[in-house]
């Protein structure tokens, strides 16, 4: 039996569609920070696999709310891993400092520069320490047709304004939640007893937020002009990695996955609006 935590989120929603027999939970049905409650729930429902999409993702707010971020991003995953179920745990490009200039490998040394990144890294470490079987999947720039995300914000603002300023010095890869969900569904039956590993998954290709915004406007038929600006024009409480392109070679090889280019996946997503 599969359990999906964080089922209200973008990835959890997509997984629920692909795995209709899975048990779906979120903050109102299972508090993953309550170890006893997690243990009871997993035992009572005969859970064999947990896909953990639950997380504290308010990157800037986490700078002032570190204790809650640590609970959700580290203690919660630890509780899930301690149940003995196989865990697929979703992590982030924010475990890296973004000072690199080549795609980050799963084996590269993490160096998070924000509370969010540090708590997510701690969650990875706890899952690998406690779980019998665990697959960590780091992803980035997630979007879908539901929830709050960059694509929906750009479409809304693009319809309201003649021009927008978008940062062009943060480089990564947009990731369609539907593609990541499909990859997870393909990986689940391939996990071997005793297997533990860290993998990266985003769509293929490289972009800045400016590139992403321009593509959204063009494909949405919006005439809003997008102007490139440096990150210094929009200071934030939490530092962002300037370069967080992730290498997908190991996940493609080990699980026989084909990954779409981000531009093609954006077209697929926009058809759902």
């Amino acid at each position: 039996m599969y359990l999906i935590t964080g089922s209200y989120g973008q990835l959890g929603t997509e997984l629920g569609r692909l795995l209709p027999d899975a048990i779906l939970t979120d903050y109102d049905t299972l508090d993953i920070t309550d170890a006893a409650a997690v243990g009871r729930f997993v035992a009572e429902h005969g859970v064999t696999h947990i896909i953990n999409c639950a997380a504290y993702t308010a990157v800037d707010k986490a700078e002032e709310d570190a204790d809650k971020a640590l609970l959700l991003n580290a203690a919660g995953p630890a509780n899930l891993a301690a149940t003995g179920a196989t865990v697929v745990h979703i992590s982030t490009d924010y475990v890296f400092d973004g000072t690199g200039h080549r795609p980050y490998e799963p084996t590269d040394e993490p160096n998070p520069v924000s509370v969010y990144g540090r708590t997510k890294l701690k969650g990875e470490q706890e899952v690998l320490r406690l779980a019998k079987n665990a697959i960590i999947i780091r992803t980035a720039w997630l979007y879908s047709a539901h929830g709050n995300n960059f694509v929906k914000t750009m479409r809304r603002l693009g319809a309201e304004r003649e021009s927008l300023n978008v940062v062009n010095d943060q480089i990564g890869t947009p990731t369609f939640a539907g593609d990541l969900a499909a990859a997870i569904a393909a990986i689940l039956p391939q996990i071997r007893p005793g297997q533990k590993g860290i993998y990266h998954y985003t769509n293929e290709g490289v972009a800045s937020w400016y590139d992403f915004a321009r593509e959204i406007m063009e494909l949405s038929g919006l005439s809003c002009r997008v102007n490139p600006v440096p990150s210094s024009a929009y200071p934030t409480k939490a530092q962002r990695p300037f370069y967080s392109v992730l290498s997908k070679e190991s996940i493609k090889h080990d699980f026989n996955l084909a990954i779409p280019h981000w531009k093609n996946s954006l077209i697929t997503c926009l058809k759902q609006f």
Side-chain angles (χ1 to χ4, degrees):
M1 177 61 72
Y2 293 154
L3 166 63
I4 300 169
T5 61
S7 66
Y8 293 163
Q10 298 182 90
L11 181 58
T13 299
E14 296 288 350
L15 280 165
R17 292 173 178 171
L18 291 176
L19 304 171
D21 295 330
I23 301 168
L24 308 180
T25 65
D26 213 295
Y27 62 89
D28 55 351
T29 48
L30 178 63
D31 179 3
I32 67 169
T33 67
D34 184 334
V38 168
R40 285 194 304 270
F41 191 97
V42 168
E44 289 171 3
H45 292 85
V47 173
T48 58
H49 294 70
I50 301 170
I51 306 102
N52 182 36
C53 306
Y56 187 111
T57 57
V59 176
D60 290 319
K61 190 177 178 184
E63 295 295 312
E64 301 172 348
D65 200 7
D67 290 344
K68 187 174 182 180
L70 190 65
L71 267 177
L72 278 169
N73 291 344
N79 294 337
L80 297 171
T83 64
T86 294
V87 177
V88 176
H89 175 67
I90 309 305
S91 193
T92 174
D93 58 324
Y94 277 62
V95 300
F96 297 114
D97 58 20
T99 59
H101 299 284
R102 58 161 178 80
Y104 282 100
E105 299 289 346
T107 52
D108 284 337
E109 190 68 27
N111 185 34
V113 291
S114 65
V115 168
Y116 170 68
R118 287 192 290 273
T119 58
K120 290 295 289 182
L121 177 59
K122 180 66 174 176
E124 291 183 9
Q125 294 166 342
E126 290 294 278
V127 169
L128 291 174
R129 180 175 70 88
L130 294 168
K132 294 179 179 178
N133 305 321
I135 299 295
I136 309 291
I137 302 178
R138 295 172 180 150
T139 190
W141 298 25
L142 207 64
Y143 70 91
S144 70
H146 45 264
N148 297 316
N149 57 67
F150 186 77
V151 173
K152 294 183 82 171
T153 299
M154 288 299 102
R155 281 169 58 88
R156 176 176 56 81
L157 294 177
E160 296 171 355
R161 303 182 186 179
E162 292 183 357
S163 66
L164 280 174
N165 295 334
V166 179
V167 297
N168 69 339
D169 56 358
Q170 292 178 29
I171 309 299
T173 310
T175 307
F176 176 41
D179 289 340
L180 177 53
I184 292 168
I187 287 168
L188 283 166
Q190 299 185 60
I191 300 173
R192 303 182 306 274
Q195 183 178 6
K196 294 186 182 183
I198 299 175
Y199 293 91
H200 291 165
Y201 186 99
T202 64
N203 282 117
E204 296 282 20
V206 177
S208 67
W209 288 108
Y210 164 76
D211 299 325
F212 193 18
R214 284 197 61 179
E215 195 73 10
I216 293 165
M217 297 305 173
E218 182 175 336
L219 292 175
S220 301
L222 296 168
S223 59
C224 179
R225 185 176 68 257
V226 182
N227 305 313
V229 296
S231 295
S232 57
Y234 290 99
T236 56
K237 290 181 181 177
Q239 184 178 338
R240 267 76 172 165
F242 280 97
Y243 180 91
S244 62
V245 178
L246 302 177
S247 171
K248 280 80 66 175
E249 294 310 306
S250 62
I251 200 169
K252 289 190 291 187
H253 175 269
D254 290 2
F255 298 106
N256 193 30
L257 297 180
I259 302 179
H261 193 278
W262 72 265
K263 290 187 178 181
N264 295 330
S265 291
L266 179 58
I267 293 170
T268 300
C269 178
L270 290 176
K271 289 177 180 176
Q272 298 177 5
F273 278 79

